[in-house]
Amino acid sequence: MTDCQHRPRAHRGRVHEEFIITAIRKTLTATAVVGAVLAGTAACGTVEQVSAGQKLDQAFEKLGKEKSLSFELDLDADVATLKQLDAGTKPEPGEEIPDEVAKLLSGAKISVTVESKKPITESGQKDLTGSSMKVSTPSGDLFEYRAVGDFTYLRSDVKALSQVMGTPLPPADELPPEAAGLKKVIEGQWVKFRTDELEKAGRKFAQEPGAAPSAAPSAAPTLDAGTQKKLLDSVREVIAREVEFTTAQGEDGAERITATASARTLLKELLAGIRPLAKDLPMELPAEKDLKDVPDVKAKADFTLKNGALTEVYVDLAALTENAKVKKFGLSLRTSTGVTPVAPAGATALDIEELIGGLFGSMVPGGPFEETGASEGTA
């Protein structure tokens, strides 16, 4: 063991970029703490430290052996808190976060399920047999997709989304006959696309203008076994020095393990430990000067285990906001054994390029449907 110690339309379209960027920065800071803890157990320290670290290691190892997994991501913040955070960014007059956006963010939940032929930790894209994602609010589901077999199924509350974005949509009954597919989307019905065609269209719309067509996506960068071990050992050593673990009994026999660390110090130490491996990593590491905006405060994450299985992770983000008025602001992740995604009955097959042209053309400022109704030939 070592080292044991009513706003302008253009502004509405970008959904208040400064607020979103700030929120992402704060969230990523806290997530870094969680990610570091997930990477391994404390290498040395008190009996409680070692025991808690080992339990977390075993819980995540158990999750990784599952072939089907579901999780739900939930932002724990009310509308008033989000408005306070937005005010802290000092937005220009007219660029404050709209009440409808704050309400959507405060009540939204993201549910994801993944099913594979292999254990999750050993799976690649080709091993997946089904997946699904749903974004919901107290008022209902906003968006849902399911990938089953050769098809991807989609449905969404387009009307609710268009209201939040501040872009009008034409009434479904005013669309021309050739826009029958778009009508079903607007009405919130299930539609389906061949997954290969969906991927092909995605590459086409994502590529730079004038670039040669891409036949297939490039392989995702990977780490070799040797680099993975060095990375894990480095993170474990930093965790042993910088993260404090405590345990407590929760309700219904559950056990709560709390990991606490100085956000800025932990990130600086992690980067210092990882930097010697930079040339072998598939990403560029931030420079030390990039950490100057990271709050110098204690960050905390709570892990709930039941019968040795991880059921929830809660990251307390309140301190990271550096806003004394913010008392409750967090991010929770709940896990469970996955439910097999199934193809919804009665889904209508659509052409993806036709849909993208019609749907996005109707929602962006100046699109063919904006304020003037549907244009002939748009689908």
Side-chain angles (χ1 to χ4, degrees), residues 30-326:
T31 303
V33 176
V34 179
V37 175
L38 306 191
T41 180
C44 53
T46 66
V47 173
E48 183 179 30
Q49 288 277 91
V50 175
S51 176
Q54 289 174 340
K55 287 179 180 178
L56 281 180
D57 237 4
Q58 292 166 1
F60 282 99
E61 184 178 351
K62 186 175 182 179
L63 273 184
K65 290 180 179 179
E66 297 287 348
K67 294 184 179 180
S68 182
L69 182 66
S70 293
F71 64 86
E72 181 180 86
L73 191 65
D74 183 11
L75 182 65
D76 184 18
D78 57 24
V79 172
T81 296
L82 294 176
K83 299 281 283 186
Q84 288 171 349
L85 288 173
D86 180 51
T89 67
K90 299 180 180 179
E92 294 294 327
E95 289 197 4
E96 300 88 353
I97 183 174
D99 290 343
E100 57 269 25
V101 173
K103 183 177 180 181
L104 185 150
L105 291 174
S106 67
K109 294 182 180 181
I110 301 176
S111 304
V112 177
T113 291
V114 177
E115 187 174 59
S116 175
K117 294 179 289 187
K118 296 181 179 180
I120 298 299
T121 53
E122 301 174 15
S123 298
Q125 186 68 31
K126 65 181 185 304
D127 301 311
L128 299 182
T129 57
S131 61
S132 66
M133 183 184 75
K134 180 168 67 175
V135 180
S136 58
T137 71
S139 300
D141 297 339
L142 281 179
F143 172 80
E144 183 174 4
Y145 95 84
R146 302 177 193 175
V148 183
D150 295 330
F151 288 90
T152 296
Y153 301 81
L154 303 169
R155 70 169 175 175
S156 62
D157 188 341
V158 179
K159 294 179 181 178
L161 290 172
S162 68
Q163 290 174 356
V164 171
M165 294 173 65
T167 52
L169 277 177
D173 58 4
E174 293 183 9
L175 293 173
E178 57 269 29
L182 179 55
K183 179 178 180 181
K184 291 186 178 295
V185 173
I186 292 176
E187 292 176 342
Q189 298 185 39
W190 279 105
V191 296
K192 67 178 182 179
F193 311 91
R194 287 194 61 85
T195 300
D196 54 356
E197 291 298 322
L198 195 63
E199 294 172 349
K200 180 180 177 181
R203 294 195 297 271
K204 176 181 177 181
F205 282 92
Q207 70 185 29
E208 293 292 332
S214 175
S218 56
T222 59
L223 291 177
D224 62 74
T227 301
Q228 288 185 46
K229 184 179 185 305
K230 291 178 183 178
L231 181 62
L232 182 58
D233 288 343
S234 178
V235 170
R236 280 177 168 165
E237 186 175 339
V238 173
I239 294 298
R241 295 198 311 267
E242 307 298 340
V243 179
E244 177 185 353
F245 293 95
T246 57
T247 61
Q249 288 301 120
E251 299 178 356
D252 302 325
E255 182 176 14
R256 173 172 291 181
I257 297 176
T258 299
T260 307
S262 167
R264 184 183 298 171
T265 301
L266 179 58
L267 286 178
K268 287 178 66 175
E269 292 299 315
L270 283 171
L271 284 173
I274 295 172
R275 208 170 295 283
L277 305 173
K279 62 181 177 57
D280 298 317
L281 299 179
M283 83 288 283
E284 182 178 350
L285 295 177
E288 187 169 338
K289 64 179 182 180
D290 295 329
L291 301 181
K292 67 180 186 302
D293 289 334
V294 177
D296 189 16
V297 297
K298 292 286 187 180
K300 184 174 72 172
D302 291 320
F303 303 83
T304 301
L305 279 62
K306 192 164 186 179
N307 298 323
L310 181 71
T311 59
E312 183 176 2
V313 180
Y314 184 88
V315 184
D316 189 347
L317 302 173
L320 296 177
T321 67
E322 298 181 294
N323 188 327
K325 294 182 179 179
V326 175

Side-chain angles (χ1 to χ4, degrees), residues 10-24:
H11 293 161
R12 291 181 296 177
R14 61 189 176 88
V15 196
H16 305 271
E17 181 178 295
E18 184 177 0
F19 171 75
I20 297 298
I21 289 175
T22 300
I24 289 173

